[in-house]
Amino acid sequence: MTNHKGNFLDLLKAHDCQTQLDLPATASNGTSPPIQETEGTTVLAVRYKDGVLIGGDRRATAGNVVMYDRAEKLLQIDEHSVLAIAGSPAMAYEMARVLEHSFQYFRRSQLQELSIEGKLRTLSRLIRENLPMTLQGIGGVIPIYAIYDLQNDDKNGGKIFFYDALGAHFESADFATSGSGSVWIRGVLFYQNRWGDKPLADMDEQEATVTVLRLLDAAAEYDSATSGYNPKSNIYPTVKTITKDGIQDLSVDRLQEIYAESVETTYAR
């Protein structure tokens, strides 16, 4: 028996299993590869004065094709946590469903909430179990998990966690980004937080929302897979707040007002 020394990809090739990594950029007849996975980007979360504000664009793409411009990338898991997805919506939606049901089952069977560490490890396990798909170049999910810790003695119990493809989780004190557009805005967030007029943690909801919407607009300017505000279809990014009072969606009317006052005005100058 051939020894593949734990190399999963070599084992697949030895059994004539073709992976996404083996597929050419174009087939011999000039068509696209057989598998065109739908992906979604860009999401970001900031810790502001009252908790966590999390935002995401609405575009889902497959290669250079816009598949959908109303995708939902901020998924509420329970009363005080949101999963922001970047990558494969098919895998991410399934992970969100498993998380939601797992947390509900624990709460109903144990008559108490699952600990934050337990929630983080549950998501880590789901990402790790998805690793074979990720290694094939399909089905990868790199989420942000935002939660409000009601047991936190500090004034602000907002917490932001981000993950790698192996399921390791890391806590971010101030902000986190994920998705193809994140490379354009991560440095801006660092600059804003360190040298801006006000640190992110001191911003109120209005200021944090303006910051997030401006950054999503900047990501859309440089990343074709990210969409900003679409005036023709009246499509706005999704924005949620997570505070001690729970999760709130910013309404379209509120987003429209903020865009008119603080985002679109930059183009008119």
Side-chain angles (χ1 to χ4, degrees), residues 14 36-37 70 113 117 127 163 173-174 176 188 192 230-231 266:
Q36 283 286 346
E37 182 192 12
R70 297 180 185 271
E113 287 287 338
E117 185 62 28
I127 295 174
Y163 289 77
D174 302 303
V188 179
Q192 171 72 39
N230 186 338
T266 57

Side-chain angles (χ1 to χ4, degrees), residues 186-208:
R186 189 177 180 186
V188 179
L189 273 169
F190 177 83
Y191 181 92
Q192 171 72 39
N193 190 53
R194 185 159 185 177
W195 295 294
D197 295 334
K198 183 182 292 188
L200 296 172
D202 293 339
M203 291 183 176
D204 59 24
E205 182 181 306
Q206 173 78 12
E207 293 168 325

